[in-house]
Amino acid sequence: MAPRLPSPVSELVDDRLARAGLRVVLKRDDLIHPEIPGNKWRKLKYNVSAARDQGFRTLLTFGGAYSNHIRATAAAGYYGDFDTIGVIRGEEHLPLNPSLAYAEARGMRLTYLDRTTYRAKTTEPVISDLHQEFGDFYLLPEGGSNKKAVVGCAELAAELTEPFDALFCAVGTGGTLAGIAAGLAEDQMVIGVPVLKGAASLEDEIVQLQRSAYGGRAGNWRLESDYHFGGYAKRTAELDAFIEEFEERHGVLLDWVYEAKMMYALFDLVRDGAFATGTTIVALISGSGTVPEV
């Protein structure tokens, strides 16, 4: 299935925004592809091309049990005729949750690392052990964030043809923000909302990603780190209520791991008067709140 690019943009009509004198538009990257949505398509685009050009037949990557990246890599392998291996953080739990069940149904072989070993996943001993077990593979980092991913995400900027002042995006590993910020104009700000608790080192990691692609920190961006709701893949009744209300108002089911936290942060900052009247904000919707059916 061909990607839907550029992804559509739609106005978010909401009385809370109107009272604040703000305009918010949704950049619907979740509609790029039903199984490889949003930033996952943009991150994987050049990595999959590189794997094919270099003669690899297998993609191996890392992620948590609810990782959108794991699902997207499984789909990319299925549609691109690659074998895929997902290295999952923690112990195996059966039955598989919907995300991992989908990945397995798309042909991904799942393997598991205890949390201590997983923290060392980028080290030579761990990678060497994986090569011994699985043979040759193209290595995709956790979340898919590397130089090629950053360059792919930067292409989003050219699709935003109407003037705006700020762009909100959810932040996991930082690759999406790193690329988008580099592609925007000097007077435009990217506001990233980390979905992980304790993301103190995240700013340095984003700068490192930008350095790999552009030689140094690029664009105007900042992080709003108080909206993780307990950490990665953690949720609260308050967040669930926000997701339900947003779907009722706007017909969009937000991904609870990423985009729901980002949109909650946006509305919370609006309520606090963080933006001047007349500000136009783009909210990047990169993932779907539902696991695709196979």
Side-chain angles (χ1 to χ4, degrees):
M1 179 182 294
R4 183 182 182 183
L5 291 170
S7 60
V9 175
S10 61
E11 187 93 17
L12 189 66
V13 179
D14 192 294
D15 59 297
R16 295 165 291 183
L17 303 173
R19 287 195 299 269
L22 305 177
R23 180 172 179 249
V24 172
V25 296
L26 303 181
K27 176 63 168 166
R28 296 295 304 274
D29 261 19
D30 58 316
L31 301 178
I32 288 177
H33 189 283
E35 296 181 68
I36 317 172
N39 61 344
K40 304 311 176 188
W41 178 277
R42 298 182 191 277
K43 286 181 175 184
L44 287 168
K45 174 182 175 182
Y46 292 119
N47 275 291
V48 170
S49 293
R52 182 169 286 109
D53 291 345
Q54 295 169 30
F56 288 97
R57 296 301 322 138
T58 300
L59 308 174
L60 181 143
T61 196
F62 303 90
Y66 292 93
S67 170
N68 291 344
H69 170 67
I70 288 288
R71 294 204 317 254
T73 301
Y78 176 80
Y79 288 107
D81 196 27
F82 287 92
D83 294 328
T84 55
I85 300 167
V87 183
I88 310 303
R89 180 179 62 249
E91 304 299 323
E92 181 181 24
H93 294 283
L94 297 175
L96 296 175
N97 69 39
S99 289
L100 294 184
Y102 165 83
E104 191 173 76
R106 277 293 180 236
M108 176 173 274
R109 179 175 177 182
L110 301 177
T111 188
Y112 298 82
L113 292 179
D114 65 80
R115 292 177 183 274
T116 299
T117 305
Y118 191 88
R119 284 193 290 271
K121 62 185 175 297
T122 61
T123 63
E124 193 279 332
V126 174
I127 299 300
S128 178
D129 285 347
L130 290 171
H131 276 296
Q132 288 184 9
E133 183 173 359
F134 299 112
D136 207 14
F137 53 75
Y138 183 90
L139 179 62
L140 286 162
E142 183 176 31
S145 291
N146 58 13
K147 177 179 178 179
K148 291 180 176 62
V150 170
V151 172
C153 288
E155 294 179 345
L156 179 145
E159 298 178 17
L160 297 169
T161 57
E162 298 296 325
F164 68 95
D165 304 292
L167 183 147
F168 270 72
C169 68
V171 178
T173 52
T176 302
L177 184 149
I180 292 173
L184 296 184
E186 292 181 0
D187 60 346
Q188 294 170 323
M189 167 71 73
V190 179
I191 300 171
V193 180
V195 301
L196 293 84
K197 186 178 181 179
S201 64
L202 188 54
E203 184 163 345
D204 289 340
E205 293 169 8
I206 293 170
V207 172
Q208 189 64 33
L209 284 166
Q210 290 189 324
R211 184 174 292 117
S212 71
Y214 307 110
R217 183 172 179 134
N220 296 317
W221 55 272
R222 73 170 194 265
L223 301 177
E224 291 285 349
S225 300
D226 295 330
Y227 298 96
H228 52 73
F229 287 87
Y232 180 74
K234 298 292 180 65
R235 60 201 298 179
T236 66
E238 183 179 15
L239 183 65
D240 287 344
F242 175 81
I243 293 170
E244 182 177 353
E245 181 190 23
F246 193 90
E247 185 179 17
E248 289 176 356
R249 283 175 176 257
H250 305 296
V252 177
L253 177 59
L254 297 171
D255 168 33
W256 63 273
V257 179
Y258 290 95
E259 273 66 45
K261 297 179 180 182
M262 178 269 291
M263 288 301 302
Y264 184 100
L266 190 159
F267 276 95
D268 194 53
L269 291 168
V270 168
R271 185 168 55 248
D272 288 346
F275 305 103
T277 298
T279 297
T280 297
I281 299 169
V282 175
L284 177 61
I285 307 298
S286 282
S288 169
T290 59
V291 176
E293 293 184 4
V294 175

